[in-house]
Amino acid sequence: MILIISVLILGLISVRVFESYLFYDPFNFYFKNNFQNISIPNFSIIKLLSSFTLRFLINLILALSIIWFLYRSKSFIKATFWVNFTSYLILLTCFMIFSEFDYNWIKMLLFYIRRFLIHPILLLILIPGFYFIKFIKTKNQ
């Protein structure tokens, strides 16, 4: 089990390491520079949506697998899916709306929204949350 979870975590790391080769993301280079002083880059909405969605799906499959091998609970899998899916839709909508504006405070907001879109940050929140739920359930039985 530890080996499988380690391989899945390596999968998440690989998505991050090879992101510039695998996904279309003009914001990757943009946010690595002094982005507060330059304009938001031009981008293809279709390509960016497709790329974000593909990356989200890869990260989601890996995250669901990690949750499964840690807890083996269908309810935790459903909760992970719905939390990720709902946040993805909300954040992607916000990202697309805010990317039309070029104010300094929006650039920082885009930076953080993009982080949540392309990285499995919610997994880091859900794993200890599910552990706590499981601990409380076993304690009360």
Side-chain angles (χ1 to χ4, degrees):
M1 183 175 80
I2 293 173
L3 180 65
I4 294 171
I5 292 171
S6 299
V7 169
L8 293 168
I9 291 171
L10 281 175
L12 290 173
I13 293 169
S14 296
V15 169
R16 172 78 165 112
V17 169
F18 299 111
E19 68 186 354
S20 58
Y21 303 107
L22 298 172
F23 307 106
Y24 169 79
D25 190 358
F27 289 93
N28 195 17
F29 180 74
Y30 173 73
F31 285 125
K32 287 182 180 177
N33 291 312
N34 189 6
F35 64 90
Q36 292 289 9
N37 295 326
I38 55 179
S39 294
I40 293 174
N42 292 328
F43 60 93
S44 166
I45 291 177
I46 301 299
K47 281 184 175 179
L48 192 65
L49 285 172
S50 301
S51 180
F52 278 0
T53 302
L54 177 62
R55 190 167 181 171
F56 165 76
L57 290 173
I58 292 168
N59 285 334
L60 180 63
I61 290 167
L62 292 169
L64 290 172
S65 300
I66 289 169
I67 295 294
W68 175 255
F69 284 107
L70 282 174
Y71 301 108
R72 299 200 189 267
S73 169
K74 287 182 183 179
S75 62
F76 288 176
I77 294 294
K78 287 179 188 176
T80 301
F81 174 81
W82 286 111
V83 165
N84 278 281
F85 182 72
T86 305
S87 65
Y88 180 74
L89 289 179
I90 292 168
L91 290 171
L92 189 63
T93 303
C94 291
F95 187 87
M96 290 299 145
I97 291 169
F98 292 143
S99 67
E100 296 297 317
F101 303 101
D102 200 6
Y103 302 112
N104 280 342
W105 67 273
I106 287 184
K107 291 176 183 179
M108 206 65 205
L109 187 61
L110 284 174
F111 175 80
Y112 287 111
I113 291 173
R114 181 180 161 276
R115 288 261 174 195
F116 271 92
L117 284 171
I118 66 173
H119 300 303
I121 296 171
L122 293 174
L123 181 65
L124 299 174
I125 297 167
L126 292 172
I127 287 174
F130 291 149
Y131 178 80
F132 180 73
I133 290 170
K134 189 174 180 179
F135 176 77
I136 294 297
K137 282 184 179 178
T138 57
K139 185 180 173 185
N140 289 337
Q141 289 179 353

